Amino acid sequence: MDDFIVSLIERLGYLGVAVLMALENIFPPMPSEAIMGAGALAIDRGSMQFWPLLVAGTIGTVIGNYFWFYLGDRLGYQRLGPFIVRYGRWLTMEWQDVERATKFFRKHGHWVVFALRATPIMRTMISLPAGLAHMGKVKFVVFTAAGAALWNVMLIKGTQWLARTFSDIDDIVSGVIIAIMVVAIAGYLWRLFTWKPRSER
């Protein structure tokens, strides 16, 4: 079981990594930590290479983030509101969450897109207010790609460092990756089934 996620990534290849990273930013099937971490272990096995993995993961991340950016840019405040109201349960967020993220974006400027992409905080959420503010498309893609690449490098190199430093616990590293995936999915399901609009709390 501890090799399952690594073997899955190896079978899916770079295209599969890109697709999973895109989906992770739209409707997460598994977190980026698990995807890129498994890819890092695949590099150590010799079945993947660093640069193609980094490029695939970064392209997938940009595509997933652009989905939310496009919604914000095209729909705007008036049309996006009903969308969030209708699908907020599945996204586990409300319009107030969007407004809060938008205020944060306006306060800190365009560089926040780069900064948050390289952290575990609001990495995807910030794409929506960037679209609502009609940030330039090229600038958004460049800032997102740069931040995503930095985050992915940290995930790959961090996982490799752990695996090589503690070579006798490779199975534990693989197990941690699976644990991250399970916790992320369980966390989403918990939020989904316990989610209530603020008006009903």
Side-chain angles (χ1 to χ4, degrees), residues 144-201:
T144 299
L150 178 58
W151 175 249
N152 290 336
V153 167
M154 290 190 291
L155 291 178
I156 295 170
K157 292 299 184 181
T159 303
Q160 287 183 310
W161 179 83
L162 285 174
R164 292 170 183 174
T165 302
F166 306 100
S167 57
D168 56 334
I169 57 169
D170 285 351
D171 290 345
I172 294 179
V173 175
S174 299
V176 168
I177 291 174
I178 292 181
I180 291 172
M181 180 183 68
V182 171
V183 169
I185 294 174
Y188 168 74
L189 291 175
W190 182 82
R191 293 194 309 273
L192 176 64
F193 290 112
T194 61
W195 186 85
K196 289 182 179 180
R198 285 180 174 84
S199 59
E200 298 180 10
R201 295 176 188 172

Side-chain angles (χ1 to χ4, degrees), residues 24-26 61-62 64-73 77 80 93 97-136 139-141 143-145 147-148:
E24 186 262 340
N25 286 279
I26 298 173
T61 300
V62 171
N65 277 267
Y66 194 83
F67 170 83
W68 292 111
F69 172 84
Y70 181 82
L71 279 184
D73 186 48
Y77 279 98
L80 186 63
M93 69 177 182
D97 301 319
V98 177
E99 290 181 325
R100 215 168 19 241
T102 302
K103 289 178 181 177
F104 185 83
F105 174 82
R106 288 177 172 172
K107 179 180 179 180
H108 297 282
H110 296 163
W111 281 100
V112 77
V113 172
F114 166 77
L116 292 183
R117 272 311 321 170
T119 71
I121 304 171
M122 291 178 65
R123 284 181 296 143
T124 300
M125 173 62 77
I126 200 62
S127 301
L128 198 53
L132 288 170
H134 304 295
M135 179 179 178
K139 182 182 289 187
F140 174 80
V141 169
F143 280 38
T144 299

